[in-house]
Structure formats: C-alpha cells, structure tokens
Amino acid sequence: MNQISPTNLLGNFTEYQFSQLVLDSTVINNQISLVAIFISIFYYTLIQSITTPVLVGSTSIVTIVGYIFSVISGSSLSGNNLKANVRSMIILLISIWGLSPVLRSLTAPISEDTIIVLTLLFFAVHLYFQDYGYLIGLSEKYFAPVSLNAAIFASVCLVSRLPSTVHVFAIMFLAIEIFALSPMLRHHLKKYSYWLDKVSSLILFASSIYLLKNISLVFTWMYVLSVSFISVICPICLVYMQRYKNILHGPWDEAIPSREKVFFKE
C-alpha cells in the first residue's frame, strides 16, 4: 500500500518559469491596454479629432468581425442564434440612444477634478475585479458584475464632457464593445489559438502606445512602466520567492490542538 509522504508529492510541485509567467501576464496587460485605448479614443472624440460616424462605423465593424470569429470558433454565440443575437444588439443600441441625453447630463454638474478622480478610481476597481479566470479559459462562464459596472460608471462620468448626444452614444457604444463584449471574444480567442492571443496582445500594446503618445508622453511612460512592472518585475519576484517555498503540508503533519470548545457526553 502506497503511503502519502512529502517525497511522493515533490513530483507534483509546480516550478514557475519566468518566460511562461511573462506570457501569462498578458491577460492583465490586455485589460490595461483596453482601458488606455478607451480613454484615448474618448479624448480624441472630445477634441473632435475622431468623427462620430467613423467611431460608430469602426466599432460596428469590430463587433461584426468578433461575432464572425465566435461563430468560426464554435462558441455559444453560434450562427444558430443569429436572429436572437441581432435582435438583442438592436435593443441594446436603441436603449443606449434613448439614454444618451440622460447620460450626458447625469454628471455634468460635477467638477472636472472630481470626474477625473472618479474615472481613475472606477477603472482601477474594474481592473482589480475583472474575471481573469474566464479570460484565460479556466472557466466557461463570465462573472464580473463589479468590474463591468465600475467600467460603465467610469464611462458615464466621462461622457458628460462630450459636446453632443451623438458623441455620447458613440462612446457608450464603444464602452459596451470593450468592457462587456470583448471578454467573450478574448476568451474564445485564447481557446482557439494560444499564439494568436499573444499576437493580439502585441497589437493592443502597440495601439495603446500610438494613441497615448499623441496625448501625453507622461501618460505613455506611465502605461509602459505599468505593463513592464506586471510583465517583468512581478514574475522576477515570484520566481525569486519560489526558492523559499520549501514547506509542504499534508496528512503527515503533527496534529495541532484546537482551542474550540469540547462538549462531553455524559
């Protein structure tokens, strides 16, 4: 009869590799990149460097391409549900259009400084509570209500500064695309092709730098340093601390007396 011992479990001990940790960290960097891209596009829309027809058209094209890919990859968003999915998207767009005047005036009385602080705060909440397990394929159900609500609220804070209702509609449509629909696309992309997922990470990283560098070099370097910290510094620390994980716990451990009350039966 085989007995469980620390020696038998050493073969199951997972040793982290630096290169693999760097590759796996892209799931967090992708989310940061999407937030950076959204804020950049909002800024360009605010100064009217991007017209609303171009923004709405580009977002629509990305949505259609993402849906086609989901059909090809055999996800739950299959071609069999095309009619229902189109109907849901139309209802969503009508709802956004109807709510755009309200959203534009919702946070208008709030000062600029407060809007900036609230936006950064809720985007930080969005990043912290994101369902990264779903994004890397560990689960099949996306569940991140806090993250999604925080991202939408941050978007609502921003759109009050836009010049027209049409601009509000365009940005909120983009917010739904990035924060509500893109997690499903990235989930299926990860399962479909590991390296295609990494290529998309490079595209997001390059796009973020391109959009940010024309806004502020300070923001660009903040973004680059954040990504570098997550992809380089954190893996180095984890690999370094791994050498100190030399205690294995199991059924061979000595019993530890409990301070809980013991009831004696007469």
Side-chain angles (χ1 to χ4, degrees):
M1 183 176 179
N2 293 330
Q3 295 183 349
I4 300 176
S5 66
T7 305
N8 295 334
L9 291 182
L10 286 176
N12 298 326
F13 179 74
T14 302
E15 183 178 358
Y16 296 108
Q17 301 296 326
F18 175 76
S19 58
Q20 188 61 42
L21 290 173
V22 171
L23 291 174
D24 291 342
S25 67
T26 56
V27 65
I28 303 177
N29 292 331
N30 288 348
Q31 204 63 36
I32 297 176
S33 298
L34 288 173
V35 172
I37 289 173
F38 176 79
I39 294 176
S40 300
I41 293 177
F42 163 78
Y43 176 79
Y44 289 123
T45 304
L46 179 64
I47 64 176
Q48 301 187 23
S49 295
I50 300 178
T51 61
T52 50
V54 171
L55 179 55
V56 173
S58 302
T59 306
S60 301
I61 292 173
V62 173
T63 303
I64 294 172
V65 172
Y67 182 82
I68 293 174
F69 175 79
S70 68
V71 172
I72 295 174
S73 63
S75 69
S76 58
L77 298 174
S78 62
N80 299 329
N81 301 324
L82 177 61
K83 187 176 180 179
N85 292 329
V86 172
R87 183 171 61 249
S88 299
M89 180 58 67
I90 292 175
I91 294 174
L92 177 63
L93 293 178
I94 293 175
S95 301
I96 296 175
W97 177 258
L99 291 173
S100 293
V102 179
L103 296 177
R104 186 188 175 198
S105 60
L106 190 61
T107 57
I110 303 177
S111 65
E112 298 286 341
D113 294 338
T114 305
I115 287 294
I116 293 175
V117 172
L118 287 176
T119 300
L120 295 177
L121 174 63
F122 279 98
F123 273 134
V125 173
H126 163 71
L127 293 172
Y128 183 81
F129 287 98
Q130 181 60 277
D131 188 358
Y132 295 104
Y134 174 80
L135 294 179
I136 63 177
L138 293 180
S139 63
E140 294 300 324
K141 184 178 180 180
Y142 180 67
F143 186 77
V146 175
S147 176
L148 179 58
N149 289 331
I152 297 301
F153 186 82
S155 304
V156 171
C157 290
L158 292 176
V159 297
S160 63
R161 270 47 190 172
L162 293 173
S164 70
T165 301
V166 179
H167 290 81
V168 173
F169 169 78
I171 289 298
M172 290 308 300
F173 182 26
L174 177 66
I176 296 296
E177 169 73 28
I178 290 180
F179 302 120
L181 300 180
S182 70
M184 291 179 285
L185 176 62
R186 291 161 56 198
H187 170 80
H188 295 297
L189 180 63
K190 174 81 171 181
K191 295 179 65 177
Y192 181 78
S193 174
Y194 178 84
W195 291 110
L196 187 59
D197 174 66
K198 300 311 171 189
V199 171
S200 68
S201 300
L202 291 176
I203 294 175
L204 289 176
F205 178 73
S207 300
S208 300
I209 292 180
Y210 176 77
L211 292 172
L212 287 173
K213 72 181 182 63
N214 295 321
I215 298 176
S216 171
L217 289 178
V218 175
F219 292 157
T220 305
W221 278 110
M222 288 176 60
Y223 166 74
V224 172
L225 291 176
S226 299
V227 172
S228 301
F229 177 78
I230 294 173
S231 294
V232 180
I233 304 301
C234 289
I236 289 176
C237 293
L238 182 58
V239 172
Y240 177 78
M241 290 186 295
Q242 185 177 237
R243 68 181 65 180
Y244 299 105
K245 187 176 176 59
N246 52 13
I247 300 178
L248 296 177
H249 296 283
W252 55 84
D253 292 339
E254 295 182 3
I256 300 176
S258 176
R259 294 179 177 273
E260 297 179 357
K261 293 181 179 180
V262 180
F263 295 92
F264 295 96
K265 185 177 180 181
E266 295 181 356

